[in-house]
Amino acid sequence: MSNRRLLFLAPAQAVTSVFPQLRDAGYELGIAENLKGASVFIRKSGPDVIFARPNLPGFRVEDLLAVGAEDPNFPPVIVITDKGSPEEAERLMGLGARDYWIEPLDVERIMAVAREPRKAAPVPASTTLGGHKPAPGEGAPKIVGSNPAIGRVLRLARQVAPSKATVLITGESGTGKEMFARYLHAMSKRARGPFVAVNCAALPEHLLESELFGHEKGAFTGAIARKLGRFELASGGTILLDEISEMDLALQAKLLRVLQEGEIDRVGGSETVRVDVRVLATTNRDLEDWVKQGKFRQDLYFRLNVIPLRLPALRERGDDVLDLARFFVDMYVREYGLPATPLSEAAVAWLRNYGFPGNVRELQNLMERAVLLANGRPIEPAHFLLENDEWPLFAEEGEEEAALPGASASGALPAGAPAAAGAAPASAGDAPAAAPASGAAQDAGASHLAGPVIPLHEMERIMIAKGLEATAGNRTQAAELLGISVRTLRNKLNEYRAQGHAID
């Protein structure tokens, strides 16, 4: 399920035809017909992409592009129009528009653009914050951890960062490969230049080629103006080819030429363009195995693997998990304006024993969820709320939190969580069994509810309300917390509204 946010700055009748499919795919959508309405959505929701008509009453897209030119974190702007011209396309793209599309809108094309990480937008050196050009090492992302496994990688990264050598960063999904790529760029002599990231898995082959190398006017249907590719935009800086293993073989041959010759050919062009770019690549695949299977060119693999950086999985990093957990807790406490939130002893024990198949990314998501659910109280294992766990009760102020089914206050793990290396399994004789409740058999996974039994449908409504409350009304985040799709959440809210229970 996507959690991307898209803003359409256009008349409703021009864009809403694509909304049902986008909503079903999990996109959060906003629409505005003036700059004031757009500003509200941008401030509250932080869209990943903005689709804007060039001219609306009281609005010119040039004003939006001017804001983006001053702020490297501003989302990319794609101009959409029902009657465009090559001259307008070239002018607006020269002002910073990410692309220029002729309507009607295509859902697959929108999704392809939205799947790219928002931070993949190029940041020209001349438009960094306050016009300041960072020196090497300035603005490098903070790499948290002191374990020798990550320390070795950091030392190698610092050693090779000043060079122009190609670096292949490998590791499991969620280990922080793109962060290390940004670290290499920030520590290099190219830190004053742009950093441009491209997700090779997010776009189909025909779009990826144009995205990387650019195209000339008339190169294909809809190419009404010249477009510079990511390699040209990254000239003087660094380009990251994320998930390089997913690139089509035909495109791999063209990439090999760029690496060997430092030249590109725009799609539909007749002239060769020189580029000065350092190339970094990431993958979670075993590229040597992919070479044997014929899915990846051997010569390209050798050309990329000049400096190999393998990132360790989180389970290989010992107590770094606790340093990272506290780092993320502090980050989200500040972001959501909550009081200081400590980790309980039970939570610390749980974190040390859990295997984290999703690595640092999974830990970050768990910590954001835990901060929201703890709401200023000490974080307990119940607040991690893994996919197969039952919902914990939301305790009122001053009440004790209900324990996660299968976890005790001493930090025992939920069913299926791996034990720490060397830890002895608990035996039946480790603790006395709890006495059964008088007159009734206790369900093995039942929560300890005080008071009368609440009907299931009523409990469902209460939990949905709590989920929305915990996420400040953000339906996408609430649906993720509840373990349901945004579409299901929307249907439930419509059902409650029809019953006279408007909870959103």
Side-chain angles (χ1 to χ4, degrees), residues 61-70 77 79 92-93 95-98:
V61 75
E62 290 91 336
D63 299 331
L64 197 64
L65 296 174
V67 175
E70 296 298 322
V77 177
V79 178
L92 293 179
M93 291 178 70
L95 291 174
R98 169 73 169 72

Side-chain angles (χ1 to χ4, degrees), residues 206-240:
H206 64 285
L207 289 179
L208 183 57
E209 181 177 4
S210 171
E211 195 68 22
L212 290 174
F213 308 130
H215 62 249
E216 296 288 354
K217 175 183 175 181
F220 48 82
T221 303
I224 63 175
R226 170 186 284 181
K227 175 185 174 182
L228 300 184
R230 295 298 182 94
F231 271 95
E232 285 182 85
L233 292 172
S235 195
T238 304
I239 189 168
L240 168 64

Side-chain angles (χ1 to χ4, degrees), residues 280-292:
L280 309 176
T282 70
T283 181
N284 58 7
R285 308 276 191 183
D286 182 344
L287 281 190
E288 289 188 356
D289 184 55
W290 274 50
V291 168
K292 293 175 184 177

Side-chain angles (χ1 to χ4, degrees), residues 51-341:
F51 299 87
R53 278 281 184 93
N55 290 294
L56 290 171
F59 166 77
R60 295 169 64 250
V61 75
E62 290 91 336
D63 299 331
L64 197 64
L65 296 174
V67 175
E70 296 298 322
D71 183 0
N73 296 314
F74 198 75
V77 177
I78 294 178
V79 178
I80 55 174
T81 179
D82 59 346
K83 39 190 170 187
S85 68
E87 294 76 21
E88 183 179 62
E90 193 161 358
R91 181 175 63 84
L92 293 179
M93 291 178 70
L95 291 174
R98 169 73 169 72
D99 213 337
Y100 186 93
W101 294 358
I102 302 297
E103 299 171 16
L105 297 176
D106 180 79
V107 172
E108 289 190 4
R109 192 178 188 190
I110 291 172
M111 289 182 177
V113 170
R115 277 194 296 268
E116 287 197 31
R118 174 174 165 180
K119 54 195 172 187
V123 181
S126 60
T127 62
T128 52
L129 286 172
H132 172 68
K133 295 182 178 181
E138 187 178 345
K142 182 176 182 180
I143 308 295
V144 177
S146 56
N147 186 274
I150 201 70
R152 286 190 293 269
V153 181
L154 266 174
R155 285 194 297 273
L156 179 57
R158 283 194 291 266
Q159 184 177 344
V160 304
S163 73
K164 193 185 174 182
T166 305
V167 180
L168 180 62
I169 307 171
T170 61
E172 295 179 9
S173 180
T175 48
K177 295 184 288 294
E178 182 170 342
M179 178 174 283
F180 263 86
R182 291 179 178 274
Y183 181 85
L184 284 165
H185 171 71
M187 299 295 289
S188 75
K189 297 175 182 178
R190 294 172 172 263
R192 297 178 184 271
F195 178 89
V196 179
V198 185
N199 188 326
C200 298
L203 295 170
E205 177 193 355
H206 64 285
L207 289 179
L208 183 57
E209 181 177 4
S210 171
E211 195 68 22
L212 290 174
F213 308 130
H215 62 249
E216 296 288 354
K217 175 183 175 181
F220 48 82
T221 303
I224 63 175
R226 170 186 284 181
K227 175 185 174 182
L228 300 184
R230 295 298 182 94
F231 271 95
E232 285 182 85
L233 292 172
S235 195
T238 304
I239 189 168
L240 168 64
L241 302 177
D242 195 18
E243 299 188 65
I244 185 72
S245 54
E246 310 311 304
M247 183 179 287
D248 184 82
L249 282 168
L251 200 52
Q252 290 178 28
K254 297 180 181 181
L255 174 60
L256 180 64
R257 180 172 178 270
V258 178
L259 293 174
Q260 291 176 337
E261 308 296 335
E263 299 175 344
I264 64 164
D265 295 310
R266 297 193 193 105
V267 178
S270 57
E271 296 182 0
T272 297
V273 180
R274 294 285 303 176
V275 290
D276 175 25
V277 181
R278 185 190 194 174
V279 177
L280 309 176
T282 70
T283 181
N284 58 7
R285 308 276 191 183
D286 182 344
L287 281 190
E288 289 188 356
D289 184 55
W290 274 50
V291 168
K292 293 175 184 177
Q293 296 181 42
K295 296 179 179 179
F296 202 84
R297 292 179 62 104
Q298 186 178 53
D299 46 6
L300 178 59
Y301 170 65
F302 290 144
R303 190 66 186 78
L304 290 171
N305 199 38
V306 176
I307 303 293
L309 279 184
R310 179 197 168 272
L311 302 190
L314 185 53
R315 61 183 173 275
E316 300 171 14
R317 294 176 55 180
D319 273 357
D320 277 2
V321 65
L322 300 180
D323 295 336
L324 284 161
R326 294 185 177 106
F327 173 80
F328 290 133
V329 167
D330 291 343
M331 181 175 76
Y332 287 118
V333 160
R334 289 193 302 270
E335 181 175 334
Y336 294 116
L338 295 169
T341 305

Side-chain angles (χ1 to χ4, degrees), residues 456-466 496 501 503:
L456 190 58
H457 69 274
E458 181 68 13
M459 178 60 75
E460 177 186 70
R461 185 172 65 82
I462 292 171
M463 301 319 294
I464 286 177
K466 288 288 189 181
Y496 299 148
H501 301 296
I503 62 174

Side-chain angles (χ1 to χ4, degrees), residues 424-446:
S427 67
D430 287 342
S438 175
Q442 286 285 67
D443 234 12

